[in-house]
Amino acid sequence: MERTITYQIDSFSDGLRIEQYLRRKGYSYQNLTQLKKMPQSILRNGVWEYMRAPLRAGDTLTVHIQETESSPNIPPVRLPVDIVYEDEDIIVVNKPSGMPIHPSLNNYRNSLANALMYYYQSQGKPFIFRCTNRLDRDTSGLTVIAKHMVSSSVLSGMTARHEITREYRAIVRGHLVPPAGTINAPIGRTGSSLIERRIDFENGENAVTHYRVVEEKNGYSLVSLILETGRTHQIRVHMKHIGYPLIGDYLYNPDMEAISRQALHSGRLTFRHPITGEELSFTAPLPEDMARVLR
């Protein structure tokens, strides 16, 4: 991908070195190292400059990102992909259940990465797959992918600082008591399993989930959940912990009467644009298999 980003230097940034200014914009040290290797990547008022050159109020700083290679070992495969939003820096996709995010041993050609690799190859564009909020294979919904190294770095920093709001919808059996609350329980591995997780108050990592009931119907509850942390299987483990496991969850609650996969959907993403700073919010409706449970 190629991307040209332009910054107008204000009085608050007067005197900063270019590298200092870009670090404050969320560029990583690795980004700066990579930019140094790209021809004409840093221009001040149209003239190539070293990273240590000082900036003055009124300057125009231009960053030219040039990524010419694609992710290795991700074959492009023509698969349907539901694009909710796309610009020069990010792409937001509504992922279907059953599609892994990354290729793996038994899912080498059916992942979201395969689909996007084909999508960009068909446009003649190199593409490195950098997914910000990873979803389990059977979890549907919104995920954001960075289209170049800088947007990836900024989004990663926002994730670490909990600046990306992720709201999920899940379905459980019965009537939740209380109907809203916060689950604060650390999560760790289960024995030697690479996949399964459990509540572990001694060695687990901090995990916080906020929940509230949205609707009750047919003996089921539709629950809204907002993650404060992003542990593996966090919602699935937390809801089981309070006695309301997700239906259809083969790993934690193999209740397949109404649905054949964990009833979990990433329904809303809200975050600042990694380059422009604009506040963005995206929604994806409840998928058919989950909606059917409530009808």
Side-chain angles (χ1 to χ4, degrees):
M1 293 288 179
E2 288 204 24
R3 172 72 162 109
T4 299
I5 305 171
T6 301
Y7 302 100
Q8 298 299 323
I9 307 305
D10 58 24
S11 59
F12 295 103
S13 302
D14 186 87
L16 290 178
R17 297 192 304 273
I18 290 174
E19 59 189 1
Q20 291 176 313
Y21 178 84
L22 294 179
R23 284 288 291 155
R24 293 186 182 188
K25 287 292 184 180
Y27 288 56
S28 67
Y29 287 117
Q30 184 181 15
N31 289 161
L32 300 183
T33 299
Q34 291 171 309
L35 283 169
K36 289 176 183 177
K37 299 175 182 178
M38 298 175 185
Q40 298 292 302
S41 59
I42 302 293
L43 304 176
R44 184 171 67 92
N45 301 325
V47 179
W48 177 82
E49 278 283 12
Y50 287 106
M51 286 285 186
R52 63 177 178 269
L55 293 166
R56 297 301 177 207
D59 282 350
T60 298
L61 177 65
T62 303
V63 178
H64 186 200
I65 303 165
Q66 306 156 71
E67 295 185 317
T68 58
E69 297 182 357
S70 295
S71 295
N73 305 319
I74 302 180
V77 181
R78 187 173 185 175
L79 298 169
V81 56
D82 181 6
I83 297 172
V84 175
Y85 174 85
E86 181 179 13
D87 62 22
E88 293 179 287
D89 305 299
I90 61 173
I91 180 168
V92 179
V93 173
N94 182 15
K95 184 187 81 67
S97 64
M99 174 182 274
I101 291 287
H102 296 95
S104 60
L105 182 62
N106 296 317
N107 296 280
Y108 189 57
R109 298 181 60 85
N110 64 334
S111 73
L112 179 61
N114 297 119
L116 289 178
M117 193 64 70
Y118 179 88
Y119 174 70
Y120 288 112
Q121 186 188 72
S122 66
Q123 300 174 46
K125 297 177 180 178
F127 178 65
I128 297 175
F129 184 72
R130 302 177 174 102
C131 187
T132 297
N133 63 310
R134 296 171 177 82
L135 303 177
D136 295 334
R137 182 192 64 188
D138 289 334
T139 298
S140 57
L142 297 170
T143 185
V144 58
I145 296 96
K147 290 178 65 174
H148 55 76
M149 64 183 189
V150 174
S151 57
S152 176
S153 175
V154 177
L155 286 170
S156 294
M158 290 165 62
T159 299
R161 295 187 299 272
H162 311 300
E163 294 173 357
I164 298 178
T165 301
R166 297 164 288 168
E167 182 178 356
Y168 290 77
R169 295 293 171 97
I171 298 177
V172 302
R173 274 190 188 270
H175 171 74
L176 265 74
V177 180
T182 296
I183 308 166
N184 188 342
I187 294 175
R189 293 184 182 274
T190 299
S192 60
S193 174
L194 296 177
I195 301 174
E196 192 172 355
R197 298 295 190 270
R198 65 184 178 90
I199 300 299
D200 183 349
F201 285 101
E202 291 187 3
N203 301 306
E205 294 182 291
N206 176 53
V208 180
T209 305
H210 307 282
Y211 76 90
R212 64 178 176 86
V213 175
V214 176
E215 179 184 2
E216 291 186 25
K217 200 169 184 182
N218 303 330
Y220 297 98
S221 292
L222 177 66
V223 185
S224 166
L225 304 112
I226 294 179
L227 297 178
E228 195 169 301
T229 54
R231 307 304 176 198
T232 299
H233 298 177
Q234 178 171 320
I235 289 173
R236 298 161 68 184
V237 173
H238 269 179
M239 292 306 291
K240 180 180 180 179
H241 175 63
I242 66 170
Y244 297 96
L246 276 55
I247 61 172
D249 191 334
Y250 74 96
L251 195 58
Y252 302 106
N253 180 37
D255 175 1
M256 306 294 182
E257 180 182 346
I259 193 170
S260 60
R261 55 104 175 183
Q262 69 249 15
L264 185 60
H265 176 68
S266 173
R268 182 185 296 273
L269 273 180
T270 303
F271 57 95
R272 288 181 297 101
H273 191 282
I275 303 302
T276 69
E278 177 188 1
E279 189 74 18
L280 302 175
S281 185
F282 305 100
T283 59
L286 210 61
E288 174 59 25
D289 60 350
M290 290 179 64
R292 192 185 310 123
V293 177
L294 303 170
R295 283 204 292 265

